Amino acid sequence: MSQQRLRATFVKGPQLKYISHLDLALAWERALRRAGVPLAYSQGHNPQARLQLASGLPVGYTGAAEVMDIILSQPMPPGEFMARVRPALPEGLSVTDAEEVPLKGPSLQSALREAVYMTRVETSLQADELTQRIANLLAADQLVQQRTRKQRLENFDLRPLMKDVWLEAHGEHHIQLGMRLCAGQQGNVRPDAVLAALGLADAYVQVERIRLMFEFDSL
Amino acid sequence: MRIDERVLDRILPTVRKPGRYTGGEYNSVAKDWDTITVKVGLAFPDVYDLGMSNLGLAILYDILNQEKDVLAERLYAPWPDMEAAMRQAGLPLYSLETHRPLCDFDLIGISLPYEQLYTNALNLLDLGGMPVLSQERDEGYPLVMAGGNAALNPEPMADFIDFFVIGEGEQVILEIVEAFREVRDAEREAQLRRMASIPGIYVPRFYAPSYFEDGTLAKIEPLVDEADSHVVKRITPVMPPPVTKFIVPFVDVVFNRASLEIQRGCTRGCRFCQAGMIFRPVRERSMEEIIQTVDAIVRQTGYEEIGLLSLSSTDYTKIGPLVKALSEKYQDRSLSLSLPSSRVESVTVDLVDMLAHGRKTGFTFAPEAATDRMRDVINKSISTQELLEVADMVYSRNWRLIKLYFMIGQPTETDQDVREIGQLARQVLEVGRRHHGRKAQVRVGVSTFVPKPHTPFQWAALDDLDTIRRKQAILKEELRQAKGIIYNWNEPAESLLEASLGRGDRRVGQAILRAWQKGCKFDAWHEHFRPDLWRQAFQEAGLDQAWYANRPRLADEVFPWDHIDAGVQKRWLLMDWYAAQRGETKIDCREHCFNCGILTAFKGLRALTPPNAWECPPIRNPRWKELAEQGKVVGLTPVVRKVMAEAKSQA
């Protein structure tokens, strides 16, 4: 029987923002089973559904256009796929697009390059002060910061991982910051690092990842 | 009022597994709070991961939410990191569906499957903004009810719970809701009197215990007309429709699967086993219904595993054909089946092959004792020979791990009986080695026997701590250097607590209150259990844990649960206790009815159910059916007595 690879774009809403990456994959698998989508399983003792999320969304973030690949054991038109899956999804999860892609081809994880985030930060900082801080950040050659990896503190340079940062909107008690950051296996950084560099580490913040950019997209 | 979501948003990123606290899972039901008139909070006094696996609450949730004008929401004990954060932020315990505080509900149902949850139950009430003592809550607070196995001896929790539901909740839960509608605006006393008038409901404040000078109970007397002298458990005459729309958790939970009850009750009569006594009579679900239900569950949940639940799954009459049909139907859909409890004597080659999916987790047997003599005492009469043959068959079908469960400390046990547990484990490993060489494994779980109410062993003593430790040391010695055998045991102090609460009387409530005030919670979790604080709590309450746990009871002792009627008669249990000491066994009661009392207690109900609906023999006298059909006999002993008395006086 001929397999098929579908690429789906989905929303991870605020109801699901505390669900971890692994748990989200299982939630998807179960939703697809409920929907009667013919999932392909790996061979072997402990068969795994062949379902791949492009990138783990940090716990607490929402995602407006997350991407995953699903291998089906029998072909199904993308439109039918979407129609079947919609009623089987929990609140907070919705599928916005699906397309067929070549069965062979790079995995989403290996093709991921950048991610665009929109953050809403509660602060009473003035707009010109913020604009100045952003400009300073982007003007720097090097921004050495600390992060914990594998339970060890390490230094890393934030600057090359930060493609762009901009002030999207400004209100009396909050601001909206956009940022385009490196993501994926060749370098990855989270928006909190940028917020920390801007002196906003302790602010109440809501983060949404609004786009994932891949090698095959025109960057 | 909903809790402050912003505050919650601040807290959740800082705690472990925040997905436990958000709700919104598939198949959870969030109704419109403002238009529903009766709101029930179903609470499990342990963490979400455990509570989500509780089938009893899933059944009640399903039944209540099917009612148009009723809503049921779930509440679980937050893990200590979350509790600390909630208390610091001033967040009350809230429901997962609509994030309402506990005290906003009309009725709260707490599941009490075992005694180690008692302090957590108090903690839930407190975290929900309610006084923990029933007497301190007036009609301004929700009514707090509790049910589950531990509720079969309600006395230790009598000070905290407004009323207990004795037995199965499927029918009575809606009677409670309707009664609540009548007395919603009444004073607490009147509300509780109305509840007490429902069969199967026990309202502790309407009963007064009195004690002899030696501390044992003299009697427990009802104080108001509504309170029956004996509260008989409720049962559903036939297996109720199964739950299919299980809530599918996002986070990993203890049993991450759906559960389907294929059978309720057990006919074997193991003397230590409380479930085997209190879930009588035995009722089976039809094979057709099971197969349809599995299909519905897969479609509605997407679960990849279903547990076929029963106290003894392999005793289900058609277990072979059932598992065969299911594994043929789902072989390509990666659905695995699990049978949580298999009896050595009813396992067949076919069955072992069909459960192949579970090979990674091992095959489980619970011989409970290692010598034929001990197994006669506890009435679990399999022979060592049989066990070894079955082990050989299981290992030969490509399973490498066999798990064996034993109990030490059962009545009449000698050190030799203990030693032979180790020898039996080695024998089983030997069998495994023949098939798998050094890759064969035996996992031996040895728990300590704790005497339970409503069982033939309710008169027995728990071994004292030194004896338990000595027996555990014997086993450790016995299993030393046995590569391929993994040995697990229970902490003796945990058994002591379970035993002193399980057969406690109303005075024990003081110890529970003090233990909770000292900070005891999550007593079932090894890392949180504080035996030192419990010891102090008992002492300050003027009570001795050993008196409750380690004291053998005399035949005529009045028990704190004697007025709670589980159907099986105390006289019958006593006869069985004597039989145990003589080493006399009873065969499976499907073969021969030993007249345990179930048919006496539920004669009317039995008369109305088809002969094959229960494993108990049918009632042949047509007079009972007539009475039952006139609605005069619901099958509850006190009611039966009243009807009989009326009939007599009219004659």
Side-chain angles (χ1 to χ4, degrees), chain B residues 184-320:
Chain B
R184 168 191 293 278
D185 300 319
E187 288 182 354
R188 183 48 47 103
E189 163 95 6
Q191 289 179 329
L192 287 175
R193 279 181 169 236
R194 176 66 186 87
M195 293 301 162
S197 70
I198 302 173
I201 299 300
Y202 173 62
V203 184
R205 72 169 67 173
F206 297 146
Y207 295 78
S210 50
Y211 302 90
F212 290 120
E213 262 173 48
D214 67 354
T216 60
L217 196 61
K219 54 181 186 286
I220 293 186
E221 276 180 309
L223 301 172
V224 298
D225 288 345
E226 290 86 347
D228 260 319
S229 60
H230 276 70
V231 180
V232 183
K233 75 167 180 183
R234 296 293 295 268
I235 59 168
T236 41
V238 293
M239 288 288 273
V243 179
T244 56
K245 294 182 80 173
F246 283 93
I247 296 174
V248 186
F250 290 115
V251 298
D252 197 18
V253 296
V254 173
F255 293 115
N256 209 337
R257 62 182 182 218
S259 302
L260 171 54
E261 226 184 344
I262 58 174
Q263 188 181 46
R264 194 172 284 187
C266 175
T267 51
R268 296 287 186 165
C270 301
R271 289 170 174 138
F272 56 84
C273 178
Q274 189 187 38
M277 297 292 155
I278 64 176
F279 285 114
R280 295 179 179 211
V282 174
R283 289 141 289 167
E284 284 194 349
R285 198 181 293 291
S286 77
M287 193 168 135
E288 294 70 40
E289 190 179 24
I290 294 171
I291 291 173
Q292 283 167 13
T293 306
V294 169
D295 197 55
I297 289 174
V298 173
R299 271 187 288 112
Q300 291 173 4
T301 67
Y303 266 123
E304 48 295 291
E305 183 177 345
I306 294 184
L308 301 179
L309 297 199
S310 155
L311 292 173
S312 178
S313 310
T314 50
D315 279 348
Y316 179 75
T317 316
K318 294 181 186 164
I319 189 67

Side-chain angles (χ1 to χ4, degrees), chain B residues 575-590:
Chain B
M575 290 303 119
D576 207 41
W577 169 229
Y578 290 149
Q581 288 163 59
R582 293 192 301 266
E584 284 174 19
T585 60
K586 284 191 171 67
I587 55 173
D588 188 324
C589 72
R590 280 179 294 193

